[in-house]
Amino acid sequence: MSVTISEAAARHVTRYLAKRGKGVGVRLGVKTTGCSGLAYKLEYADEIAPEDVVFEENGVKVLVDPKSMPYIDGTQLDFVREGLNEGFKFHNPNERDRCGCGESFRV
């Protein structure tokens, strides 16, 4: 089982954590919501919980709760700029469908 983070996403996270002045990495998970059933949740983490599954790549820790792991195993977290917009993008090989609004997905 693994979750990876691209160099671009790692640079963004590292810059943001330095600006914040605290944090150990990012926490990635899923929540039940939206048209298709699941949505990604991503937040900056200040501590590692005992149950967290920890992946480290490009100098950044990605923390995942065990319940989310089956839905996001193999996912790569990326940071992209498209025109004037920028943000995190999830490349999840388990994703089978995505709702029209882009907020949720199904595995």
Side-chain angles (χ1 to χ4, degrees):
M1 295 190 127
S2 72
V3 173
T4 59
I5 185 167
S6 71
E7 287 183 31
R11 278 194 307 273
H12 181 78
V13 169
T14 301
R15 278 196 308 266
Y16 190 80
L17 290 176
K19 193 184 229 187
R20 266 180 101 220
K22 64 179 180 175
V24 296
V26 290
R27 184 176 311 280
L28 175 61
V30 295
K31 61 183 177 180
T32 305
T33 189
C35 330
S36 293
L38 297 169
Y40 297 105
K41 32 177 215 187
L42 183 67
E43 59 190 14
Y44 291 95
D46 292 330
E47 57 188 44
I48 299 172
E51 67 274 6
D52 284 336
V53 180
V54 181
F55 301 97
E56 188 166 354
E57 188 173 7
N58 295 314
V60 172
K61 287 183 176 69
V62 179
L63 316 175
V64 180
D65 70 274
K67 290 181 183 173
S68 295
M69 202 62 223
Y71 303 107
I72 59 175
D73 182 30
T75 296
Q76 182 192 45
L77 178 60
D78 196 6
F79 189 80
V80 296
R81 287 193 171 99
E82 295 171 345
L84 298 175
N85 298 320
E86 64 180 17
F88 288 102
K89 190 168 196 141
F90 306 94
H91 302 285
N92 184 347
N94 304 306
E95 203 174 286
R96 298 289 169 249
D97 195 22
R98 184 171 274 275
C99 72
C101 66
E103 287 295 313
S104 62
F105 69 98
R106 185 166 39 105
V107 293

